[in-house]
């Protein structure tokens, strides 16, 4: 468990439920997790990357990540998350642009802090960007950003995206 997420601990002012059952009950009932005397709602965003992974592996049109996004929203998801990777192993540019048109809740774009990805994000204008590390040998993101080596590029990405009103 990452530092600061031990059960019952405080994470940026939010109390982490003491047991998995507490979290499940909180999510099931739509209850609020206390935050310094205020209520905070937990929202579910669905990552549809692996729907696209299957499609890409089959070299076909199905399963369709757009259909998955529609279904997730219809089922109550409060957002759709996708990771446009530099190698395009799952989500493709056309998916991202199409998702921007159809997602009615929140579109969260996970991306590396590269100039290419920044340019795409500025075109698509997702509701939120989450900067993630990328290693070609990973099947899925396995760690956090190493900021000592890449801090200037990460800061540039944050500054450029936020200047256009995109939360990072």
């Amino acid at each position: 468990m990452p530092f600061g997420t031990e059960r019952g601990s405080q994470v940026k002012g939010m109390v982490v439920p003491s047991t998995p059952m507490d979290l499940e009950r909180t999510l099931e009932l739509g209850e609020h997790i206390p935050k310094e005397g205020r209520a905070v709602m937990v929202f579910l965003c669905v990552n549809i990357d692996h729907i696209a992974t299957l499609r890409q592996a089959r070299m076909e049109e199905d399963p369709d990540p757009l259909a998955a996004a529609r279904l997730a929203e219809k089922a109550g998801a409060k957002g759709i998350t996708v990771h446009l990777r530099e190698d395009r192993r799952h989500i493709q540019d056309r998916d991202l642009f199409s998702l921007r048109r159809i997602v009615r809740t929140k579109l969260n774009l996970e991306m590396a802090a590269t100039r290419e990805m920044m340019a795409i994000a500025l075109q698509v204008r997702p509701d939120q960007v989450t900067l993630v590390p990328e290693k070609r040998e990973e099947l899925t993101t396995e760690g956090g950003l190493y900021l000592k080596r890449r801090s200037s590029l990460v800061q540039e990405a944050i500054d450029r995206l936020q200047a256009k009103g995109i939360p990072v």
Side-chain angles (χ1 to χ4, degrees), residues 69-84:
R70 283 187 199 100
L71 184 61
E73 286 186 318
K74 186 176 180 181
K78 300 300 181 195
I80 302 298
T81 297
V82 293
H83 182 177
L84 183 65

Side-chain angles (χ1 to χ4, degrees), residues 110-124:
E110 295 180 337
M111 60 176 239
T114 66
R115 288 184 176 82
E116 176 195 16
M117 292 298 140
M118 281 188 274
I120 292 169
L122 291 170
Q123 267 189 294
V124 172

Side-chain angles (χ1 to χ4, degrees), residues 4 10 49 65 69-70 90 97 108 127 151:
Q10 293 273 338
D49 288 344
R70 283 187 199 100
H90 35 67
F97 283 92
N108 174 39
D127 298 299
S151 64

Side-chain angles (χ1 to χ4, degrees), residues 48 64-74 77 80 99 102-103:
I48 60 170
D64 180 11
L66 302 176
R70 283 187 199 100
L71 184 61
E73 286 186 318
K74 186 176 180 181
I80 302 298
L99 285 164
I102 70 159
V103 168

Side-chain angles (χ1 to χ4, degrees), residues 11 42 46 48 85 97 129 134 136 144 149 154 156 166:
V11 178
V42 177
V46 176
I48 60 170
R85 295 181 63 100
F97 283 92
V129 166
E134 252 182 55
R136 293 197 188 275
R149 256 187 289 160
V154 170
E156 178 187 344
I166 302 170

Side-chain angles (χ1 to χ4, degrees), residues 43-91:
F43 295 106
L44 173 68
C45 292
V46 176
N47 187 316
I48 60 170
D49 288 344
H50 294 299
I51 303 295
T53 302
L54 287 172
R55 178 199 58 200
Q56 294 304 106
R58 292 176 179 171
M59 293 186 255
E60 295 180 1
E61 294 301 313
D62 289 314
D64 180 11
L66 302 176
R70 283 187 199 100
L71 184 61
E73 286 186 318
K74 186 176 180 181
K78 300 300 181 195
I80 302 298
T81 297
V82 293
H83 182 177
L84 183 65
R85 295 181 63 100
E86 291 179 279
D87 62 11
R88 308 303 198 270
R89 72 175 62 167
H90 35 67
I91 294 296

